[in-house]
Amino acid sequence: MSCECPMVWEAIQASSAQLMAAILANAGDDPNLQSTSNISYAVFRAQELSFEYRQMIWDILEENMAAMFIASTSFKWDPEGKRGDLFHPDSRFIAVLDEESKLIAYTMFRFEYEDEEMLIYCYELQVVPSGQGGGLGKRLMRYLAVIGTEWHMQKLMLTVFNNNAPAMELYRKLGFVADSTSPYPGEIMEDGGIVDYSILSVSL
């Protein structure tokens, strides 16, 4: 694992404890960053996850996203490939745990250097169906912004299906806009697929 940008490389090397400390240090009096009495947060590298948490992470993603991928004109539902991406060595997770330490939400992200920009890229933002609409997704995105800012990333970036209305609404409220790298909706891809997703970003 290497990176041609020293600042991104430094971020990649940061420990889970350092990332969690950044979140806690910036929580202050901001209710959007504070935890509550019945849930807790933890930061993991992919290789630090237990088998049980890996399975919970996969189960939530499959329940939330499989149908969208199957219906997509841009992507295929490839469980084996998706698992490989999800638990890639560069993947980092912020997990939301309930009182019984059961996973109820998470974000998976990586530090990346693309087109001469330093990025914190949100690959997944997943909340169990029973917890959706309660502000967990918003809080996780704010945590990503805190981490990205602390490690001097220039943008927080993500990819979202255009028909995922709740996600689109959340990201717009958080200030995300179509990135300059985002394809046009309906554009024909090289493999003949039709673009049904957007790349969104917000400056940090």
Side-chain angles (χ1 to χ4, degrees), residues 13-22 42-46 48 92-93:
Q13 294 300 299
S15 68
S16 296
Q18 287 176 301
L19 299 189
M20 191 70 228
V43 178
F44 301 98
R45 293 181 182 273
E48 295 168 345
R92 314 294 288 264
F93 294 81

Side-chain angles (χ1 to χ4, degrees), residues 154-172:
Q154 295 166 292
K155 287 181 180 179
L156 171 53
M157 188 176 287
L158 55 87
T159 302
V160 60
F161 283 119
N162 294 330
N163 64 353
N164 190 344
M168 278 289 197
E169 181 179 5
L170 169 64
Y171 299 141
R172 297 297 187 192

Side-chain angles (χ1 to χ4, degrees), residues 131-140:
Q132 293 175 9
L136 291 176
K138 178 180 180 181
R139 185 168 292 167
L140 285 170

